[in-house]
Amino acid sequence: MTIKNKTITQGFIISGLMNLTVLVFSRGFTNSTIPEFDPVVMSNFGLLMIVIWGLAYMSIAKNYHKVKWLVGVFAVEKFIYGYIWIQWILNNNLSDVYKKDTMAGLFYSIYGINDWIFFVFFLLVFIKILKGNRV
């Protein structure tokens, strides 16, 4: 499968924008329900770091091929968040979150799916760069 450079650039931008949606779901870090249900990973500091990761993705969108190991780090980071989300889903009741706040419920419903999708994306890009295939 060949992924075009333009598509990869767009993928980095979309991944960054997806991370920035944390600002919407958290209502600018004022939604106390998100940190309540995962005070370690999804504290307001943790949510801010998600925004920072998103900015990092977008910052290399046009020059991703120059920072192959950073793309690999992005893949590892997304894998970790995806794994943490699966653990959270298996050990928590999502309906409890929805009862308290719909935006928080939506956030917990989708954030891990997003992380798994972009884990695959970053991994494919990393492999492509390692092989030296920039077309």
Side-chain angles (χ1 to χ4, degrees):
M1 174 168 75
T2 303
I3 308 172
K4 294 181 181 180
N5 288 341
K6 182 179 177 183
T7 303
I8 292 173
T9 294
Q10 291 170 341
F12 277 98
I13 292 168
I14 292 167
S15 67
L17 292 173
M18 290 300 291
N19 273 40
L20 294 182
T21 65
V22 162
L23 295 170
V24 174
F25 289 108
S26 71
R27 296 183 189 95
F29 307 118
T30 64
N31 184 339
S32 61
T33 305
I34 292 174
E36 176 186 335
F37 281 88
D38 191 348
V40 175
V41 178
M42 297 303 168
S43 65
N44 280 340
F45 176 77
L47 296 174
L48 175 62
M49 291 300 98
I50 291 170
V51 170
I52 298 301
W53 279 110
L55 295 173
Y57 306 150
M58 291 188 291
S59 75
I60 68 161
K62 292 187 177 183
N63 295 303
Y64 63 89
H65 57 276
K66 294 180 181 178
V67 288
K68 68 180 171 191
W69 295 108
L70 183 57
V71 175
V73 168
F74 291 166
V76 170
E77 179 261 343
K78 286 297 189 184
F79 177 86
I80 291 168
Y81 274 95
Y83 176 81
I84 293 297
W85 176 74
I86 288 173
Q87 294 304 307
W88 190 91
I89 289 292
L90 293 174
N91 293 298
N92 291 275
N93 187 346
L94 195 53
S95 65
D96 290 343
V97 183
Y98 275 101
K99 286 177 191 172
K100 192 140 190 190
D101 183 83
T102 302
M103 291 296 279
L106 287 169
F107 173 77
Y108 278 105
S109 295
I110 64 172
Y111 95 78
I113 297 166
N114 175 74
D115 288 327
W116 284 115
I117 289 168
F118 284 105
F119 159 69
V120 171
F121 170 75
F122 291 141
L123 182 62
L124 290 173
V125 173
F126 180 64
I127 291 167
K128 176 183 172 97
I129 297 169
L130 281 179
K131 290 182 175 180
N133 181 3
R134 293 184 47 205
V135 178

